[in-house]
Amino acid sequence: MDADYGIPRELSDLQKLRSRYHPELPPCLQGTTVRVELRDATTAADPSGEHTIKRFFPHTYGQPLAHFLRATAKVPDAQIITEHPAIRVGVLFCGRQSPGGHNVIWGLHDALKVHNPKNILLGFLGGSEGLFAQKTLEITDDVLATYKNQGGYDMLGRTKDQIRTTEQVNAAMAVCKALKLDGLVIIGGVTSNTDAAHLAEKFAETKCLTKVVGVPVTLNGDLKNQFVEANVGFDTICKVNSQLISNVCTDALSAEKYYYFIRLMGRKASHVALECTLQSHPNMVILGEEVAASKLTIFDITQQICDAVQARAEHDKNHGVILLPEGLIESIPEVYALLQEIHGLLRQGVSADKISSQLSPWASALFEFLPHFIRKQLLLHPESDDSAQLSQIETEKLIAHLVETEMNKRLKEGTYKGKKFNAICHFFGYQARGSLPSKFDCDYAYVLGHVCYHILAAGLNGYMATITNLKNPANKWHCGAAPISAMMTVKRYGRGPSKASIGVPALHPATVDLRGKSYELLSQNATKFLLDDVYRNPGPLQFDGPGADAKAVSLCVEDQDYIGRIKKLQEYLDKVRTIVKPGCSQDVLKAALSAMASVTDILSVISSPSNVSTPF
């Protein structure tokens, strides 16, 4: 075992207090009996990709949705599991650290020990590389003692975190067989859970006895679909960032002479920027999804912000706060095209100092237009998925520079009569992801850990632990599991080297829905936020008292209880079967046929491939 992992930590008084907090379990997970209801087979959200997904996942596609039931539930066909032979389970962190991750392991450990004290939980040290190298640490109460309700991934650590190539999959399978693991729990986001699905399929194909389970843990909040309402860590990230933003808002209002440009985490999606805006009410936010949908150029964005600055000046306001997601730079069409040219040349081995001379004429012109510091950052080698090193590209400084240049021009021309424009820039990235997790993330992660055990006890493979109805108290949460393959879509086209992933089923980042209720709420308040300085300070992260039970605004405004609605539909269908039986009256039969014909006609139309919209 590496000395750096799993060692007791010195805790502050607050950390000690947090370590003593014990999350509440929903009734369906209490006790030592596992009650699971397996209903209809699942299908792909996008019918046009169903054939491809079936082809890639012949053993794990189409599995039923699982609901875990309380002991008093009267469901005749539920499977009741009372015998719990000793099992061995492995767990690892994949992807970037997200507050609450430790609680997934704590919940899994507690569930294992409650159902059979002889159960063993092994943590892999150093993420997927630790898995391949068979570096393990047995998780015990003593190991967990100083990591309960704490931030970070430092109990086990993480590395590059992918299980994708044939060599990596075979290495993972060899380790699972060598350690005689009955289950492997992978904690991560869209990429890690995609890998988990492919690993589960390979295990099923080769009759490897290890069952693979995924857990939705990612600070970006982009692992969302009909089964997954929220990701562990997102609530904490947004609350910590919102306090920092609101502090800056107060500072701006006090001095009345600075514009703050704040870049937030969010690579492929702008969920963090949207949620922080709804919590702290800055003057403006530029979402990557808006830019992409409207095909806004960098000049358009600059003009939009300058017009906002000018409008505020007319109200005698020469200060403001503007939020930007880190993925914004790749949402700007011409900048993305420039990045693709640069990355292509870098892959060909062209040195950074020679890139400019080998760009196409238009790309060279844009490159030379950009300030020197941004040029240098655009020349950084791309990430493994071919995206730019977004955390290293100071988009906020670029936008502030362009806005300042334009405002000085307007001032000189006399079209702007406000005070000289002054910008201050910040990047709130790593400040939040190591935070102590919020009460919601502590509870959510711990319960997901318990759900993982229930999935394994039910003998399910290739599933993700899910909880819905999250905006309500924990005793009303609906716990279950959904096949990861049912959450997948198939890209029909791609940009740049990502074309290699065309036709391969995967979980893809869910972007901000510009027709959703969260974005609608933002749109309704955009003018007020811009001009009225209705800054809102939620204060520091609370663990008790006022604010402790507050949940993400975007979670509360959306009607997301998909599993609950599925169960409601099943109740209606069961009721129809009860009413319409051989021997019922002609009128009952006639009404049922007419109603069902109308329903099936409507559903056939809206579920056909030509009517199902996807982001790809």
Side-chain angles (χ1 to χ4, degrees):
M1 185 192 93
D2 288 5
D4 293 333
Y5 294 126
I7 60 174
R9 300 186 293 179
E10 181 179 347
L11 303 182
S12 68
D13 289 341
L14 178 61
Q15 286 179 298
K16 290 176 184 175
L17 181 66
R18 288 309 294 153
S19 70
R20 293 194 289 271
Y21 169 72
H22 202 290
E24 176 186 358
L25 274 182
C28 61
L29 301 180
Q30 295 175 9
T32 56
T33 299
V34 174
R35 295 168 60 90
V36 60
E37 177 190 18
L38 301 175
R39 293 296 297 253
D40 298 332
T42 52
T43 187
D46 178 10
S48 65
E50 183 177 11
H51 175 74
T52 303
I53 300 172
K54 276 184 179 178
R55 183 161 50 84
F56 273 84
F57 297 94
H59 300 89
T60 54
Y61 179 76
Q63 297 186 97
L65 197 63
H67 307 282
F68 297 110
L69 309 171
R70 64 177 71 198
T72 55
K74 296 179 180 178
V75 179
D77 53 352
Q79 181 183 356
I80 302 174
I81 303 168
T82 55
E83 298 295 324
H84 301 280
I87 61 174
R88 294 167 59 84
V89 179
V91 63
L92 71 154
F93 288 125
C94 281
R96 290 165 175 80
Q97 46 269 37
S98 194
H102 285 141
N103 274 30
V104 175
I105 298 178
W106 177 25
L108 175 58
H109 171 267
D110 278 7
L112 284 164
K113 295 302 181 182
V114 161
H115 288 88
N116 189 329
K118 294 181 180 178
N119 287 336
I120 298 294
L121 179 60
L122 299 175
F124 288 101
L125 303 176
S128 55
E129 289 190 2
L131 169 65
F132 306 143
Q134 199 172 318
K135 294 169 64 176
T136 63
L137 165 68
E138 183 174 350
I139 306 297
T140 64
D141 284 324
D142 288 341
V143 169
L144 283 165
T146 58
Y147 293 92
K148 296 175 180 178
N149 303 313
Q150 308 297 311
Y153 280 3
D154 48 323
M155 182 171 74
L156 298 179
R158 53 161 285 258
T159 49
K160 293 178 185 175
D161 304 324
Q162 69 174 37
I163 312 170
R164 197 162 310 140
T165 67
T166 301
E167 293 76 13
Q168 290 170 338
V169 169
N170 288 338
M173 183 160 55
V175 168
C176 289
K177 288 180 177 179
L179 295 175
K180 298 180 180 179
L181 295 184
D182 299 281
L184 178 66
V185 176
I186 296 176
I187 298 171
V190 290
T191 302
S192 302
N193 278 281
T194 296
D195 290 348
H198 285 280
L199 194 64
E201 176 64 28
K202 183 66 175 178
F203 283 11
E205 177 191 338
T206 58
K207 295 183 169 51
C208 175
L209 298 179
T210 308
K211 310 298 185 187
V212 182
V213 176
V215 190
V217 181
T218 171
L219 58 89
N220 293 319
D222 57 5
L223 203 178
K224 294 173 71 174
N225 52 55
Q226 63 270 44
F227 305 107
V228 182
E229 291 183 2
N231 305 148
V232 173
F234 178 76
D235 186 74
T236 304
I237 292 289
C238 292
K239 283 175 177 170
V240 173
N241 278 333
S242 292
Q243 191 222 347
L244 295 174
I245 293 163
S246 62
N247 290 350
V248 170
C249 289
T250 301
D251 190 77
L253 191 59
S254 301
E256 296 188 307
K257 61 180 180 179
Y258 298 116
Y259 270 87
Y260 292 88
F261 289 75
I262 302 174
R263 176 166 48 107
L264 299 169
M265 285 187 142
R267 299 172 62 78
K268 302 295 184 183
S270 308
H271 297 292
V272 173
L274 173 59
E275 177 62 32
C276 289
T277 301
L278 295 176
Q279 288 194 28
S280 58
H281 302 177
N283 299 106
M284 196 174 186
V285 61
I286 306 291
L287 302 180
E289 290 83 351
E290 292 176 314
V291 172
S294 300
K295 295 181 171 57
L296 299 180
T297 66
I298 197 165
F299 174 77
D300 294 330
I301 296 169
T302 301
Q303 292 298 313
Q304 187 177 336
I305 296 175
C306 288
D307 291 345
V309 170
Q310 190 155 334
R312 286 180 57 77
E314 290 168 2
H315 288 73
D316 199 28
K317 294 180 178 180
N318 298 286
H319 61 278
V321 178
I322 300 167
L323 305 187
L324 310 167
E326 65 176 350
L328 176 65
I329 195 77
E330 286 194 326
S331 300
I332 303 170
E334 72 274 22
V335 179
Y336 182 84
L338 171 61
L339 281 166
Q340 289 305 299
E341 281 203 30
I342 291 173
H343 293 171
L345 292 169
L346 288 172
R347 281 191 300 274
Q348 293 171 26
V350 178
S351 62
D353 59 337
K354 299 285 180 56
I355 292 282
S356 178
S357 63
Q358 297 196 36
L359 291 170
S360 63
W362 74 266
S364 179
L366 175 59
F367 188 74
E368 293 302 322
F369 163 77
L370 296 172
H372 178 73
F373 70 91
I374 285 292
R375 282 184 246 163
K376 187 176 179 181
Q377 293 162 6
L378 295 182
L379 292 174
L380 294 171
H381 276 269
E383 303 275 14
S384 58
D385 63 354
D386 198 57
S387 63
Q389 291 194 38
L390 297 174
S391 63
Q392 304 300 316
I393 299 176
E394 297 172 307
T395 309
E396 73 284 10
K397 290 187 178 180
L398 169 63
I399 300 297
H401 169 82
L402 296 175
V403 170
E404 182 176 14
T405 301
E406 173 63 19
M407 293 313 299
N408 288 340
K409 176 186 170 188
R410 294 186 185 189
L411 186 62
K412 187 176 180 180
E413 292 172 346
T415 55
Y416 168 63
K417 307 203 182 283
K419 293 181 180 178
K420 180 175 171 55
F421 180 84
N422 292 297
I424 298 177
C425 298
H426 296 285
F427 172 41
F428 293 164
Y430 307 101
Q431 296 91 331
R433 74 181 196 182
S435 169
L436 289 172
S438 65
K439 183 175 181 293
F440 173 79
D441 278 329
C442 287
D443 295 344
Y444 183 32
Y446 181 79
V447 175
L448 281 171
H450 274 262
V451 172
C452 288
Y453 173 78
H454 279 60
I455 294 171
L456 295 173
L460 303 177
N461 178 42
Y463 278 70
M464 186 185 295
T466 62
I467 303 173
T468 60
N469 205 32
L470 285 169
K471 63 184 179 183
N472 287 304
N475 61 7
K476 296 185 181 298
W477 287 357
H478 299 151
C479 300
I484 303 175
S485 58
M487 307 176 190
M488 291 183 160
T489 51
V490 180
K491 278 192 175 183
R492 299 188 183 88
Y493 62 87
R495 302 189 296 182
S498 64
K499 289 180 180 178
S501 65
I502 294 176
V504 179
L507 293 177
H508 293 103
T511 55
V512 169
D513 183 0
L514 299 183
R515 295 175 297 178
K517 293 182 180 178
S518 299
Y519 184 73
E520 181 183 350
L521 181 60
L522 173 65
S523 300
Q524 290 170 352
N525 289 279
T527 301
K528 182 169 66 173
F529 288 177
L530 176 62
L531 297 176
D532 295 345
D533 290 353
V534 288
Y535 302 142
R536 177 180 180 272
N537 194 329
L541 189 63
Q542 299 296 301
F543 302 120
D544 198 7
D549 292 314
K551 296 175 182 176
V553 177
S554 52
L555 175 66
C556 294
V557 300
E558 299 287 352
D559 184 17
Q560 294 179 304
D561 186 16
Y562 184 82
I563 290 181
R565 295 202 301 273
I566 285 283
K567 287 183 70 67
K568 192 69 178 176
L569 174 63
Q570 290 169 341
E571 289 172 8
Y572 279 124
L573 294 175
D574 290 340
K575 191 172 289 187
V576 169
R577 292 190 187 97
T578 302
I579 296 170
V580 186
K581 290 182 176 179
C584 68
S585 72
Q586 289 278 11
D587 289 341
V588 168
L589 180 59
K590 186 176 179 180
L593 285 171
S594 175
M596 296 306 285
S598 297
V599 168
T600 52
D601 285 347
I602 293 170
L603 295 179
S604 296
V605 171
I606 63 176
S607 63
S608 67
S610 59
N611 285 298
V612 177
S613 60
T614 67
F616 307 109

